Amino acid sequence: MMSSDKSVFLIGQGVKSPWYVGNTARGLLEKFGTERVIDTPVSENAITGVAVGAAIAGMRPVVVHPRMDFMLYAMDPIINEAANWHYMFGGRSNVPVVIWSIINRGGEQAAQHSQALHALFAHIPGLKVVMPSTPYDAKGLMISAIKDDNPVIYIDDRWLYNIEGEVPEEIYEVPIGKAIIRKEGKDITLAATSYMVYEAIQAAEELSKDGIDVEVIDIRSIKPLDKKMLLNSVQKTGRFVVVDGGWKTCGFSAEVSALVSENGFKYLKAPIIRVTLPDTPAPASYRLEKEYYPTHIDIIKGIKKAIGDEEE
Amino acid sequence: MKKYTKGFLENLYRQIIRIRFCEESLVEPILKGEIKCPCHLYSGEEAIATGVCAALEERDYVFGNHRSHGHYLAKGGSMPELIAEIYGKETGCSKGRGGSMHVIVPDKGLLGAAPLVAGTISLAVGAALAAKIRKEDRVTVSFFGDGAAGEGVLYESLNFASLKKLPIIFACENNLYSTHMPIRECRPGNNIFKSSVPFCIPGYRVDGNDVLKVYELSKKAVELCRKGQGPVFIEFMTYRLRGHVGPDDNIQGTHTDIRPKTEIEKWTKRDPIKRFEKTLLKNRILTKEDLEIIRKETEAEVKNAYVFTMNSPYPEKNELTKYVFKE
């Protein structure tokens, strides 16, 4: 994108350091120089504002927050300014910025290096929020986010960085607002976000041994949400479990559950089940961490509950 | 005075009067309740917007704050669209979606005004960065008040702008009050202009009620920015003759303006418009009759802005959710 569109630039903390952003920015500095690959001091509020301001002035910046928790310093430019900008000026100005952040969970990093805040941003009118789970989508959604004329919050999960997959060389888009079925099934709909998609697939594979046919939907786009795909699937299966790597209360899982019960109540044969983080800050100790993050085992339990086959 | 053409000075006078008359025209409709949108009037501070914007070209960028009617008019915004915006009309500069605190003139370089204190400073730095990346000869001005000097983002912005040597002027309009709070209660020293010095940005202070001094210093700052020697920080000393919001801070029946009468009187004597008129007459640039003609013409302009507004429709109900996203 940086080659084909001169208005695209990358700015943020550690863009030249793999320690911060993995290998995602490798080679960019050599190719595009410090004018368009801008490593910055620790000033999340101003730097995000700079990206928003540059977007208002016609650029298409990508601003990175390698630890999502630090992005909270930038709530003013993201929410007060970027999200409202197009509306409050009656469509006379817009903010084509990508705010890329990485959920940094696990590794005994505790409460301030682990937070998954996608629901918080999805709550705000004017923001789009995407969470890719595959390398193919990571590229395709980033390209769509850059091309989008609105502010897009693009959220990675550190646990996804070891996943390998085919990624075409060329520029291609994965549309924002479209979920994807990762595994078709007829007995129950299992919707998952980001890294939790892999736990969901594993759960589905294990349940297939018991003859339970799970449909796994990778949400990909938190906002706008692919309501049609979710409701079509629930109409087919009659049961719904949602798995999210964020907290439960007022979280993304709550929104999806409300959506399904509001619009698909007549299809439901059983209550909706949510598998999420407990409403607790992330602990440091490995022992507690293992308890904290849901896995395919928790998902299997949730699915069995939804089909009325509880073992507990 | 000889270095200025008559036309230049006349335009300066026209601009400063336009802002004053436009602002004062809002007083009555606010008191009558015709205008419900909160208006932070710029009366008393007009010399700053007038002088700074006279030093800019149309291509230069400006970001404003909650008190930006003056910045809007001085950067070339249309008066009818401003009044229509304040009345919530579809023909307003922000189609009635933004109101008094969200004015914009994209084609004349006012990229937006927004009221979160210090909120647009970093945006202005971003616009300056955009101009630098694109190698454009464009200066950005960030207008903010003395209250913004209490926000951390100002210092982050100064640091980054200086690191990248951006063509930006940080224009602090110090009217001595952060809403109701006098500056002596906000900071231990009245020295905002020194704030930029630790970031290797020169800081200047100037009488913000003297339009020619404002213009001269702004011109110098713009030249520095154009030569790649930005950023520049300027503190303009001024005073608002009206309340923080509305004519007299009479918010829902509570008079919150606690400023001493003697202080208001002292600053009324330093009214930037009276002072400029005196200069123009003393140096025989314009006659009393000339001034009167300009005043009459401006009155007519203001009147027309209201006629335009009253004849304009409100936004359609079914367009409530339009503009949340750019389609």
Side-chain angles (χ1 to χ4, degrees), chain B residues 54-227:
Chain B
L56 297 176
E57 301 292 334
E58 193 172 289
R59 65 178 183 278
D60 294 325
Y61 291 145
V62 166
F63 279 83
N65 56 0
H66 55 294
R67 199 182 302 285
S68 272
H69 299 171
H71 309 139
Y72 169 94
L73 290 171
K75 197 68 179 72
S78 124
M79 197 187 291
E81 289 180 20
L82 174 63
I83 302 294
E85 187 58 37
I86 293 167
Y87 273 81
K89 296 295 181 88
E90 179 69 22
T91 54
C93 62
S94 301
K95 301 204 168 74
R97 269 69 169 182
S100 159
M101 294 186 281
H102 297 293
V103 293
I104 190 166
V105 200
D107 49 332
K108 300 272 173 70
L110 177 66
L111 296 191
L116 269 294
V117 175
T120 58
I121 298 174
S122 58
L123 308 189
V125 174
L129 177 69
K132 183 158 184 187
I133 292 174
R134 295 191 296 243
K135 300 187 167 53
E136 294 167 346
D137 175 23
R138 229 195 260 266
V139 175
T140 299
V141 176
S142 169
F143 284 109
F144 52 92
D146 46 294
E151 298 282 3
V153 72
L154 169 62
Y155 306 95
E156 292 181 25
S157 299
L158 288 170
N159 184 55
F160 185 73
S162 185
L163 265 178
K164 299 293 167 192
K165 301 202 177 351
L166 298 181
I168 179 167
I169 298 168
F170 294 94
C172 177
E173 299 176 304
N174 183 355
N175 64 18
L176 308 178
Y177 284 84
S178 176
T179 68
H180 64 290
M181 211 60 165
I183 193 155
R184 64 180 179 278
E185 290 179 34
C186 292
R187 45 192 302 128
N190 189 348
N191 55 1
I192 293 174
F193 71 105
K194 291 181 184 164
S195 302
S196 65
V197 176
F199 302 100
C200 311
I201 299 173
Y204 302 94
R205 171 181 265 177
V206 69
D207 180 350
N209 281 19
D210 183 328
V211 69
L212 290 175
K213 279 190 185 150
V214 169
Y215 170 73
E216 281 305 322
L217 185 55
S218 304
K219 207 174 124 209
K220 189 173 138 192
V222 169
E223 276 163 14
L224 285 172
C225 286
R226 294 213 196 283
K227 282 192 286 189

Side-chain angles (χ1 to χ4, degrees), chain A residues 35 43 45-47 49-50 52-54 57 59 80-81 85-94 126-128 150, chain B residues 93-95 97-98 102-104 106 111 113 116 119 122-123 126 130 134-135 153 156 160 320 322-326:
Chain A
E35 287 220 330
S43 307
N45 187 350
I47 298 307
V50 163
V52 170
M59 303 294 281
N80 280 323
E81 311 296 351
W85 201 262
H86 186 257
Y87 189 88
M88 71 195 184
F89 291 111
R92 296 192 69 197
S93 177
N94 65 301
L127 295 181
K128 295 185 180 181
N150 300 285
Chain B
C93 62
S94 301
K95 301 204 168 74
R97 269 69 169 182
H102 297 293
V103 293
I104 190 166
L111 296 191
L116 269 294
S122 58
L123 308 189
R134 295 191 296 243
K135 300 187 167 53
V153 72
E156 292 181 25
F160 185 73
L320 171 67
K322 200 177 173 184
Y323 307 125
V324 176
F325 290 106
K326 187 172 178 197

